[in-house]
Amino acid sequence: MDDRDPNPHTSSPTTITDPKLRFEARRAFVWVGVVVLIGVAVYMSQALLVVFGGLVFAAIIDGGARLLGKVLPIGRSWRVAIVLVAGFLFIGWVIFYAGTSLATEAAQFPALIEQQGNRALDWIESMGININADSVEKMAQQAMGGVGQLTRAVGGIIGGFTTGFLILILGIYIALEPNLYERGVAWMLPEGERESFLDMVDKMAFSMRRLMFGRLVGMTVEGILTGIALAVYGVPLATLLGLITGLLAFIPNVGAVISGLLMVLVGFSGGTDMAIYCAGVYVVVQTFDGYVVVPMIAKKTVDLAPALVLAGQLILGILFGIIGLALADPLIAMIKVMLEHRAERNGKSGAANTAPQGG
């Protein structure tokens, strides 16, 4: 006699037979999966931000290689190599040729800022405003610690070497073979989602290249104009201030304010007239950048609301420090492109579903 179950499809004890209960269970599993993914993302957030930094650096390299492709009919690998060599040569020039003078200025910079800050506090107290000296001193020490790190990095002592090195290596690998990584990620997705994913990645890469191009142009313009204008008047540390202004221009909103305050504080070392001149240079440079440079490149970049960027910088800056501030703008831009692509896709799907069917 056959003892096997005559119905091989008999439900097991863990099978949910009620359709409604099965639907709710699936939905619960989806939410549990989402929570787990969020937890993993939070746990790996620092590493994920470094990977994103590599993508940003790859976009810069890729943009330069594409520009070279318009004038040099050579292979992509050669163009990427030219961009990298040019970048390393510039860094080498800053370190070896300009490094001595910049290091000297960088050594003077923290002491000069502290001196002018103390003068500003004395003036405020002379106006009858009481200030807790201990609290201000602690804040100043913390601020000068950050300024010192920045100026030492400019002078040739690299801060955050490991993070920067990882971003550099990731950017080079991704820039050399971007399609390889795109296909690899697309392969892990369901077949029906691959084409949409590749289309979204193309849009994100295009927007990233445009955004970085505009950022680099703004950094160059602000740094050169600031350095020249300050040097003409004889402002101390003019070269260093121009370089810092150019570097901080990579961080929208926050960077411009910091560079302006530094210029004015250094200007006070030469008297009120020099401080006013430095403030004027800041206003003129920012106005020129905001009303001439930015409109020229804005049509080719991602249009982001300033308040949204500032909020993103605040959140990422608190969570990840300077690297969060630097990457907040491109990260928000990529999220915007992704959401726009998703909305466009849903709109097309909705239009296709509501289209009248032929009889």
Side-chain angles (χ1 to χ4, degrees), residues 111-245:
L112 183 60
I113 295 298
E114 184 177 2
Q115 178 185 2
Q116 300 310 313
N118 291 333
R119 290 180 59 183
L121 292 177
D122 293 339
W123 179 80
I124 292 174
E125 290 180 351
S126 68
M127 301 296 293
I129 302 175
N130 295 325
I131 300 177
N132 189 332
D134 294 335
S135 300
V136 173
E137 183 178 357
K138 291 180 181 178
M139 294 174 60
Q141 289 176 353
Q142 294 176 356
M144 290 313 302
V147 172
Q149 292 177 4
L150 176 62
T151 53
R152 286 195 297 271
V154 173
I157 302 176
I158 301 175
F161 175 78
T162 303
T163 299
F165 180 75
L166 289 174
I167 290 176
L168 176 67
I169 297 301
L170 283 172
I172 293 175
Y173 277 128
I174 296 172
L176 287 173
E177 290 289 343
N179 294 331
L180 175 65
Y181 302 98
E182 292 177 8
R183 293 194 302 267
V185 176
W187 177 80
M188 294 186 290
L189 299 175
E191 187 174 357
E193 299 290 332
R194 294 175 185 175
E195 183 178 354
S196 176
F197 171 78
L198 292 175
D199 182 43
M200 181 185 69
V201 169
D202 288 340
K203 293 179 180 178
M204 295 174 73
F206 178 80
S207 299
M208 180 70 80
R209 289 194 301 270
R210 298 290 185 169
L211 181 65
M212 291 299 101
F213 171 77
R215 192 61 45 77
L216 291 176
V217 170
M219 291 170 63
T220 304
V221 170
E222 289 190 28
I224 293 176
L225 290 181
T226 300
I228 292 176
L230 296 179
V232 167
Y233 195 82
V235 178
L237 317 179
T239 304
L240 182 63
L241 286 172
L243 188 57
I244 291 177
T245 299

Side-chain angles (χ1 to χ4, degrees), residues 7-74:
N7 184 5
H9 301 292
T10 301
S11 299
S12 68
T14 58
T15 301
I16 301 176
T17 57
D18 188 348
K20 292 183 178 180
L21 186 59
R22 186 164 56 246
F23 172 77
E24 294 297 333
R26 288 177 179 175
R27 186 161 65 175
F29 284 131
V30 169
W31 280 109
V32 170
V34 170
V35 172
V36 171
L37 288 176
I38 292 175
V40 172
V42 171
Y43 179 76
M44 300 178 59
S45 56
Q46 190 72 36
L48 293 175
L49 198 64
V50 172
V51 173
F52 182 73
L55 293 174
V56 173
F57 184 62
I60 296 174
I61 300 174
D62 185 52
R66 289 172 181 266
L67 288 177
L68 284 178
K70 296 181 179 180
V71 295
L72 293 178
I74 58 178

Side-chain angles (χ1 to χ4, degrees), residues 254 308-319 324-325 328:
V254 177
L308 180 62
V309 174
L310 189 59
Q313 289 174 338
L314 177 63
I315 295 173
L316 292 180
I318 293 174
L319 293 176
L325 278 174

